[in-house]
């Protein structure tokens, strides 16, 4: 299996953000997107994950092979930690959540309502959803936000196990996760050129 992105152009609010983005991701590999805030990393991830259409280019892998984790944790606050994971496991047709609870140190919190968790605990639970999807490609936007050093290490270990099992990961993060299988891609050189203003446009600025 291979994720191939060729000459991709993406837009935010109808304005071109990135153009000509190309990369390939094979089984066991991770690609880390780098660039300043507002550079287009989130827009690129959402486009690859199929949450918005590209302006140009081609994405080869079926979106059903991908699982996306963005800034929202995707939790139901009235459900417990275990109930949230069971819900997502049923959505994706998987069953085992015990290993997931252990992987993210959530077993002591299994019966606690998600609405009563700290920000870091909610983030861990949100990321744990990726483990029950059974999807080959994890697409993640700033996954370590709200995580402390210990939780970040748990996340990095989960990603490494996923890669070792033949999975792939595409993520935007400024944190070095210590993944030997990871390469980086700076989105800066792919910033789209904005059209020059003419005298008519300047009248309305």
């Amino acid at each position: 299996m291979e994720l191939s992105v060729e000459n991709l152009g993406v837009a935010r609010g109808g304005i071109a953000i990135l153009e000509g983005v190309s990369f390939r991701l094979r089984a066991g590999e991770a690609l880390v997107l780098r660039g300043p805030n507002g550079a287009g990393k989130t827009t690129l991830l959402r486009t690859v994950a199929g949450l918005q259409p590209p302006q140009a280019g081609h994405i080869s892998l079926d979106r059903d092979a991908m699982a996306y984790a963005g800034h929202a944790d995707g939790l139901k606050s009235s459900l417990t930690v275990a109930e949230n994971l069971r819900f997502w496991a049923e959505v994706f047709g998987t069953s085992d959540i015990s290993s997931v609870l252990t992987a993210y140190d959530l077993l002591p919190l299994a019966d606690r309502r998600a609405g009563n968790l700290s920000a870091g605990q909610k983030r861990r639970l949100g990321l744990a959803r990726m483990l029950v999807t059974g999807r080959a490609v994890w697409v993640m936007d700033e996954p370590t936000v709200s995580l402390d050093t210990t939780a970040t290490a748990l996340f990095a270990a989960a990603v490494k196990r996923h890669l070792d099992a033949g999975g792939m990961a595409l993520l935007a993060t400024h944190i070095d996760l210590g993944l030997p299988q990871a390469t980086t891609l700076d989105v800066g050189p792919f910033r789209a050129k904005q059209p020059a203003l003419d005298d008519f446009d300047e009248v309305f600025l």
Side-chain angles (χ1 to χ4, degrees), residues 72-79 81 84-85 88 114-115 117 121-127 129:
D73 293 319
L75 307 177
K76 290 187 176 293
S77 60
S78 61
L79 299 182
V81 167
N84 267 282
L85 286 176
W88 285 109
L117 299 176
Q121 290 167 341
K122 288 179 181 177
R123 192 59 171 167
R124 270 191 283 150
L125 177 55
L127 291 172
R129 290 183 301 128

Side-chain angles (χ1 to χ4, degrees), residues 111-134:
D111 296 324
R112 185 177 299 184
R113 291 179 183 269
N116 295 330
L117 299 176
S118 70
Q121 290 167 341
K122 288 179 181 177
R123 192 59 171 167
R124 270 191 283 150
L125 177 55
L127 291 172
R129 290 183 301 128
M130 304 296 280
L131 291 173
V132 302
T133 64

